[in-house]
Amino acid sequence: ALIYQGRTINYGELIHQVCQAAKGLAALGVKKGVRVAVWETDRPNAVICLYALWMLGAVSVLPNTSLGIDEMRRLLSRAHVEILLYGKGYKDISFPEVVAKLPPVEGMRLAFFIGEEDGAEVAFGMKEIFRVGENLSGEEFLKMCRCVSPEDAATLLFTSGTTGQPKGVLTSHYARINSALCQADDLNAIASDRFLTAIPLFHCFSMTVNLLGSMVRGACLYLPKDRRTKTLLEGISVDRCTVLCAVPSLFKAMLARSDFDHYDLSSLRIGLVGGAMTRADEMRLFRERFAFELLPSLGQTEATGGITVASPQDSIKAKLETVGHFMEHIEGKIVDPYTGKTIPQGATGEIVVRGYCLMMGYDGLPGETQKVIDQEGFLHTGDLGLIDKEGNVHLKGRLRKNIIR
């Protein structure tokens, strides 16, 4: 199920630890609807805690790992976080130091360290969570799990819109799992695959296609010790990862290495590129140099990650020049951005979508939600594009510019 720095966790072990963590968190007061922030890099404990929270029906809040003290305080307050689970840190940011310096946050009653400890199979903080759950009866635990429904809120991720002010995007279990199932289908994922986590799990794209997409197929999620290009390339050449999904800038950064050709990338089978526009010449370069089936896609946090994707059987022209077709069970069209009326095939307008993938709304911002989801239930993505006669979407730019950190 997981590989991290030579440590392997199979599905039986993962399920056992997730249940232990869920019982411990329940004993600490976590239940359906409670908001718990998981501020950690891509580590096994983060994965275990996320699944434990979802079992209990809690809402997992995933802060950006680059946040400072003031940003973190504002996020915790706005998200109404009750419990903070945090790791060691990211780059030059020490999470324990930030947490120690945080002024009181209204409603937040507990902060727990879950960071990996050198040489320890289970970190001290996780051992403590496991320990407090030992007195919770199995009957009580199952009762808590059974009250969770697919329509309940599962995650609160943050995005930036036109003003640059982060908005909390609430998504349901139903949207998240169905998006993962569809993306796993698009990748033809199988149990023998290894998904390289090349982008952080707090990004909607990675959470859906990597964390959940791998596991709905019984595949392996490979967690690198960091996201340096050398580490990622070694994850492919040494540990033989087969699925690579990333943003264009990361593919460029790996290609820019003077020793790129020294890495054996023959294990790569398939992947997605998304998160930003990719020119046809860039897409051709990525596919040729990495020598695998790289498919274009379009996604958005408000749409739980995936909106469009190309298929392996599509023409090379479609793979290079479009972002593919609307994903299975998603209704999409092009409208005039000013009138909202559907425009003819081949004309450029705003891409709008409707279906299982839509967010529940911007957290605490009903007015902002109404601005992007119209009365017919279509999400106005802010992306400009057109649909060709084959049904493929050509991305043409943005109406609203997002800030990506």
Side-chain angles (χ1 to χ4, degrees):
L2 295 175
I3 293 178
Y4 173 65
Q5 288 195 272
R7 175 186 168 198
T8 299
I9 301 175
N10 63 38
Y11 272 95
E13 293 167 334
L14 178 63
I15 292 169
H16 176 67
Q17 292 190 40
V18 166
C19 288
Q20 280 186 299
K23 290 181 73 174
L25 290 167
L28 292 169
V30 175
K31 57 184 178 181
K32 181 175 176 177
V34 169
R35 296 183 174 195
V36 180
V38 180
W39 197 32
E40 171 63 300
T41 51
D42 306 330
R43 300 290 184 264
N45 284 347
V47 174
I48 290 165
C49 287
L50 285 171
Y51 277 110
L53 293 171
W54 290 330
M55 281 187 75
L56 295 169
V59 180
S60 59
V61 181
L62 280 85
N64 190 308
T65 51
S66 298
L67 298 185
I69 296 171
D70 290 340
E71 293 172 306
M72 191 63 178
R73 179 191 59 79
R74 286 195 295 269
L75 182 146
L76 294 171
S77 177
R78 287 185 55 194
H80 305 289
V81 168
E82 292 188 31
I83 296 176
L84 169 62
L85 307 176
Y86 63 96
K88 280 187 171 182
Y90 175 66
K91 292 186 176 178
D92 60 347
I93 300 174
S94 167
F95 295 168
E97 288 183 15
V98 170
V99 172
K101 294 176 182 177
L102 278 174
V105 176
E106 184 179 358
M108 196 176 88
R109 56 186 177 82
L110 182 64
F112 233 90
F113 179 73
I114 61 165
E116 298 284 338
E117 296 180 17
D118 296 336
E121 281 293 308
V122 182
F124 173 78
M126 291 297 291
K127 286 181 181 178
E128 187 64 15
I129 291 174
F130 293 167
R131 185 190 64 78
V132 298
E134 290 174 357
N135 295 326
L136 186 71
S137 72
E139 184 180 348
E140 187 178 355
F141 174 59
L142 286 174
K143 184 178 179 181
M144 295 178 72
C145 294
R146 286 170 178 158
C147 73
V148 183
S149 71
E151 292 75 24
D152 291 334
T155 57
L156 181 60
L157 303 181
F158 284 81
T159 186
S160 295
T162 51
T163 63
Q165 295 299 316
K167 299 184 184 74
V169 176
L170 269 177
T171 49
S172 67
H173 296 280
Y174 181 82
R176 186 69 60 193
I177 292 299
N178 277 289
S179 291
L181 286 167
C182 284
Q183 290 193 320
D185 284 346
D186 294 327
L187 292 166
N188 295 322
I190 54 178
S192 59
D193 274 322
R194 287 188 177 184
F195 284 64
L196 175 58
T197 310
I199 44 181
L201 292 178
F202 66 77
H203 277 299
C204 191
F205 184 22
S206 189
M207 174 177 283
T208 302
V209 76
N210 289 323
L211 175 60
L212 294 170
S214 62
M215 296 197 176
V216 297
R217 287 291 178 268
C220 174
L221 181 67
Y222 181 91
L223 302 170
K225 64 180 180 180
D226 56 52
R227 290 190 297 278
R228 299 176 188 274
T229 54
K230 181 177 186 292
T231 305
L232 297 177
L233 288 168
E234 287 175 348
I236 303 167
S237 64
V238 177
D239 292 320
R240 315 307 290 161
C241 287
T242 62
V243 180
L244 172 60
C245 301
V247 295
S249 59
L250 186 52
F251 282 104
K252 292 177 187 177
M254 287 189 281
L255 281 174
R257 292 187 61 89
S258 60
D259 61 350
F260 175 81
D261 290 326
H262 297 164
Y263 293 94
D264 177 8
L265 308 182
S266 60
S267 65
L268 280 181
R269 184 181 65 79
I270 198 168
L272 302 177
V273 60
M277 288 185 67
T278 308
R279 299 194 313 267
D281 62 318
E282 293 174 333
M283 191 67 181
R284 185 183 296 277
L285 178 66
F286 299 160
R287 287 174 57 88
E288 289 177 352
R289 295 297 305 281
F290 283 85
F292 79 129
E293 184 68 277
L294 183 62
L295 303 172
S297 65
L298 174 66
Q300 192 172 74
T301 306
E302 291 89 337
T304 324
I307 294 174
T308 71
V309 67
S311 299
Q313 54 267 36
D314 285 344
S315 68
I316 187 64
K317 181 178 175 67
K319 294 172 185 176
L320 297 180
E321 299 178 4
T322 81
V323 288
H325 54 272
F326 290 109
M327 290 172 63
E328 202 74 20
H329 308 297
I330 293 177
E331 180 183 359
K333 60 181 181 178
I334 308 296
V335 302
D336 184 302
Y338 302 104
T339 67
K341 293 183 178 179
T342 304
I343 59 178
Q345 175 198 302
T348 297
E350 184 179 15
I351 302 169
V352 300
V353 293
R354 180 169 66 182
Y356 68 85
C357 63
L358 264 59
M359 65 176 176
M360 300 171 75
Y362 290 124
D363 186 43
L365 299 171
E368 293 297 315
T369 302
Q370 290 174 4
K371 289 179 182 178
V372 296
I373 299 180
D374 63 29
Q375 293 182 340
E376 294 181 339
F378 279 96
L379 170 69
H380 290 247
T381 65
D383 287 312
L384 292 171
L386 63 86
I387 302 175
D388 63 25
K389 61 183 180 180
E390 282 79 34
N392 291 312
V393 178
H394 297 246
L395 191 60
K396 296 297 184 181
R398 287 284 297 168
L399 277 171
R400 305 186 296 270
K401 188 173 182 180
N402 283 339
I403 298 172
I404 300 176
R405 296 179 60 182

